[in-house]
Amino acid sequence: MSSTASYRNRTRHPRGVYTRLPATCSVPFVVILAMSSDGDTSGAPKPEDTTADKPAELPASGAMAGGDAAAADAPAADAAAADIDAAGTSADAAAADGEGKAAMAAGAATEAGEEPVQQDPAPDEPDDEPADAPADPAAEDGGIDPGDHEAIVRVLQADPTTPYHSVSTFEELGLAPRLLKGVYHAKFNKPSKIQASSLPMVLGVSAAGEQGAEPPRNLVGQAHNGSGKTACFVLGMLSRVDDQDPTTQALCVVPTRELARQIADVIQMLGKYTDTKVHLAVKQNEPDRRGARRSAARTGPVTDHIIVGTPGKVLDLIKTRALTTSSVRIFVLDEADQMVDTQGMGDQTLRIKRSLPREVQTLLFSATYREEVRVLALKIAPDANQIFVDREDLSLTRVAQFYLVCASSSARFDVLSEIYELLTLSQSVIFVNSRRGAGALATKLREAGHTVSLLYGGDMSPQERDRVLDEFRSGTTRVLVTTNVLSRGVDVAGVTVVINYDMPLEGVTRRADPETYIHRVGRTGRFGRKGIAINLVHDGASQAVLHEIEKAYQHKMVQVADAEELEEKIKNM
């Protein structure tokens, strides 16, 4: 039974955000959680950080700006990691009696981050990346949206008798030294709002910082894009895994291969100094399938500690007994609203869940939940704690949202061409509602002399999908035409503009789809940077969709007459 008592002992922040929250409370309640800008949740408001409110410049063509502070702070993280190494085999004992905690605190000056990078899995190598490794986006991009401290997160406890507390540092979570070292290596500074409020429940951390003191609970989490959801459940999985036990103990299921690959990279980044092994369960091309069958014949079932994959592939592994689920302790659904929706992947998700041990801990994360989907989510994660933000709070305040009314459907292409002629953009994503429409638009853009990439899933080979996204992520290509396959979860640091060539529609009703809109727009304005969303409408129906989205998030978009006015508005941002 959930408690709905209100929490009134709070202090008003100058910005209108409640900041007072006790370390522990034995009274059941729904708590409105809002940390001050330095992550503190226990006292009076801190002085305002005026630098956090300075508008970020929209980068022009070329390298993205804004990574200098994180890069400058990198030595502090390296020093903290070195201190943990110096503890040697006595690291666990030092952490237990508090001697190691002071050394770990040296990393507090680093910037927070979440963007995944490829990492060398060897646990004992120095923190310097090899020359051929990709740059660390977390260090370059600042990580968590600086506006995260202004967000209001509500915590609804399933058990009214359980004391609630949040944390303000990663050290308070009782993470193993090797895992905390990975947190420092990723240039994380302090927990984001959803991390601070949910990780104690995910890990069963007591108010004294003892991990496992409370039973881990199921969780349904909702927070805005760029809030640190991925690192939250990744730390949960890595903490629950015993890397000396050669069995699969954590399972993460997501809607697309692109998102699965990204999450696997985050696991490798945060688990860099552990012996945790990750298996990517996504559709393979034929040569890979033949190789996998030969490997399975030699080595037997999959025994990697963490499996990350799409529902069809994971279900196939379970059905063919290539994956044994009897040892799975934690089950994660990312983009959970799509994963549990009966119109989407709900049936496959339920079949996977039924194959897992009854006592498995279940975590569901997404930026949006329709009310009917939230009910389904609670059936998959029974007696779950809930952490969520109100619908109107989801609008991305760091994304400037514009729209242009085009004379006709075909006139949208002329307007799009003018936008690319007048504006100097870093990287941009163009969303189209159908595979056929995406292919036709990419062809027209190429015929007009633009260099564009196309990603739509479906009959594209896995190898081709990986190649297109990798090229776009590395900056080799600058314009990506795609469908909703890329609307969820996938982060590309260089994206400054999202263009909705088609306004998002629900698949069956063909009505406005505000959830998909917020996911699409969330591909820009990441890592604390300003972003731009441009919506092209051309008739009464598409304008009605736009206004429905405005109404859903209580946010007015700015109408511009043409590409020249749009250019002027952007210059004045």
Side-chain angles (χ1 to χ4, degrees):
M1 181 177 67
S2 299
S3 169
T4 57
S6 63
Y7 178 65
R8 301 187 181 278
N9 182 22
R10 54 198 181 187
T11 301
R12 191 79 173 179
H13 191 278
R15 292 176 178 167
V17 178
Y18 296 111
T19 59
R20 185 170 177 80
L21 180 70
T24 60
C25 181
S26 59
V27 180
F29 56 89
V30 176
V31 58
I32 309 298
L33 176 63
M35 285 188 287
S36 58
S37 60
D38 65 349
D40 180 45
T41 62
S42 59
K46 303 293 182 182
E48 291 203 27
D49 179 3
T50 57
T51 61
D53 293 328
K54 292 181 180 178
E57 295 182 4
L58 181 71
S61 175
M64 299 290 288
D68 294 341
D73 284 336
D78 294 337
D83 286 339
I84 296 175
D85 267 343
T89 58
S90 64
D92 291 334
D97 66 11
E99 293 175 6
K101 193 170 182 180
M104 297 172 190
T110 60
E111 292 287 330
E114 186 180 356
E115 177 73 358
V117 294
Q118 297 286 347
Q119 299 291 347
D120 190 328
D124 295 324
E125 291 199 359
D127 285 348
D128 293 333
E129 294 295 327
D132 59 348
D136 185 350
E140 295 178 356
D141 300 315
I144 303 301
D145 184 350
D148 180 69
H149 68 276
E150 297 182 356
I152 296 177
V153 179
R154 292 191 290 156
V155 178
L156 176 60
Q157 292 180 272
D159 183 357
T161 65
T162 303
Y164 171 77
H165 71 282
S166 63
V167 298
S168 57
T169 68
F170 285 107
E171 289 85 352
E172 294 174 62
L173 292 170
L175 298 175
R178 290 184 301 164
L179 185 51
L180 191 57
K181 183 178 177 182
V183 170
Y184 288 144
H185 177 82
K187 308 299 185 289
F188 279 48
N189 178 17
K190 54 183 176 290
S192 69
K193 189 68 61 61
I194 194 166
Q195 293 164 1
S197 55
S198 66
L199 277 171
M201 291 186 281
V202 171
L203 303 177
V205 177
S206 69
E210 182 182 356
Q211 191 176 136
E214 304 289 342
R217 299 297 300 265
N218 293 344
L219 178 70
V220 174
Q222 175 188 11
H224 57 86
N225 293 295
S227 63
K229 296 186 297 294
T230 301
C232 185
F233 63 75
V234 166
L235 286 173
M237 290 191 293
L238 287 168
S239 294
R240 297 295 309 279
V241 163
D242 176 2
D243 59 15
Q244 301 306 304
D245 179 2
T247 61
T248 297
Q249 301 160 56
L251 176 60
C252 178
V253 184
V254 300
T256 67
R257 68 179 288 110
E258 288 77 16
L259 184 54
R261 292 178 65 216
Q262 179 172 287
I263 291 172
D265 287 343
V266 177
I267 295 171
Q268 291 174 353
M269 176 176 66
L270 293 178
K272 178 180 175 68
Y273 300 101
T274 72
D275 295 325
T276 302
K277 296 179 180 179
V278 184
H279 179 83
L280 189 61
V282 295
K283 184 178 179 182
Q284 300 169 311
N285 53 35
E286 187 55 36
D288 288 340
R289 278 196 292 269
R290 288 196 297 267
R293 284 195 292 266
R294 288 194 296 268
S295 176
R298 292 193 303 269
T299 63
V302 175
T303 58
D304 298 282
H305 300 107
I306 301 177
I307 308 297
V308 183
T310 52
K313 184 61 178 178
V314 169
L315 199 56
D316 182 59
L317 291 175
I318 294 172
K319 287 165 58 179
T320 59
R321 301 177 186 262
L323 172 61
T324 302
T325 60
S326 58
S327 298
V328 173
R329 304 173 180 177
I330 181 169
F331 176 47
V332 176
L333 295 178
D334 192 20
E335 304 300 338
D337 60 328
Q338 185 174 355
M339 298 301 299
V340 305
D341 191 346
T342 53
Q343 296 177 357
M345 305 177 180
D347 291 340
Q348 291 176 317
T349 300
L350 285 172
R351 291 168 68 186
I352 293 171
K353 176 67 188 300
R354 292 190 189 112
S355 73
L356 304 178
R358 184 183 297 270
E359 66 277 8
V360 68
Q361 181 186 20
T362 303
L363 310 180
L364 279 64
F365 284 88
S366 184
T368 57
Y369 288 100
R370 296 194 308 275
E371 187 55 39
E372 61 270 26
V373 175
R374 190 190 298 273
V375 172
L376 291 172
L378 291 173
K379 290 182 179 179
I380 291 178
D383 300 320
N385 292 319
Q386 300 176 60
I387 299 179
F388 53 92
V389 296
D390 290 331
R391 183 184 179 93
E392 59 268 22
D393 293 330
L394 290 171
S395 184
L396 300 172
T397 57
R398 297 189 67 84
V399 179
Q401 298 171 59
F402 302 96
Y403 73 96
L404 294 90
V405 180
C406 307
S408 64
S409 178
S410 59
R412 290 177 299 166
F413 180 78
D414 298 327
V415 172
L416 184 65
S417 297
E418 290 175 5
I419 289 173
Y420 279 107
E421 288 173 5
L422 287 175
L423 272 64
T424 301
L425 307 176
S426 178
Q427 286 182 285
S428 57
V429 178
I430 305 173
F431 282 103
V432 184
N433 285 345
S434 68
R435 300 173 190 171
R436 179 179 297 179
L441 178 59
T443 298
K444 290 185 69 174
L445 285 168
R446 288 165 180 162
E447 290 174 349
H450 299 283
T451 301
V452 302
S453 296
L454 175 64
L455 179 64
Y456 57 82
D459 57 357
M460 287 186 72
S461 70
Q463 185 176 17
E464 179 69 5
R465 289 174 67 170
D466 292 347
R467 183 190 63 78
V468 169
L469 185 57
D470 288 345
E471 287 180 353
F472 187 65
R473 192 186 295 279
S474 68
T476 303
T477 56
R478 307 176 70 80
V479 180
L480 179 63
V481 178
T482 186
T483 60
N484 286 335
V485 70
L486 207 70
S487 67
R488 289 174 173 264
V490 176
D491 298 328
V492 178
V495 173
T496 54
V497 175
V498 165
I499 299 175
N500 283 312
Y501 194 80
D502 291 328
M503 296 303 294
L505 302 173
E506 291 184 353
V508 176
T509 65
R510 309 303 292 171
R511 299 182 61 182
D513 188 348
E515 284 78 14
T516 295
Y517 177 82
I518 210 72
H519 283 285
R520 286 183 179 184
V521 172
R523 297 316 98 211
T524 186
R526 312 287 287 186
F527 314 110
R529 297 206 175 100
K530 287 286 187 181
I532 297 171
I534 303 170
N535 301 286
L536 304 182
V537 296
H538 61 90
D539 58 13
S542 57
Q543 290 186 56
V545 169
L546 183 141
H547 295 316
E548 280 295 314
I549 293 171
E550 288 181 320
K551 181 179 178 181
Y553 295 113
Q554 299 183 10
H555 182 86
K556 291 291 291 182
M557 303 181 201
V558 178
Q559 181 177 0
V560 292
D562 51 32
E564 290 184 356
E565 184 180 355
L566 176 64
E567 180 189 30
E568 191 64 29
K569 293 279 188 184
I570 292 174
K571 283 182 179 179
N572 294 329
M573 284 177 57

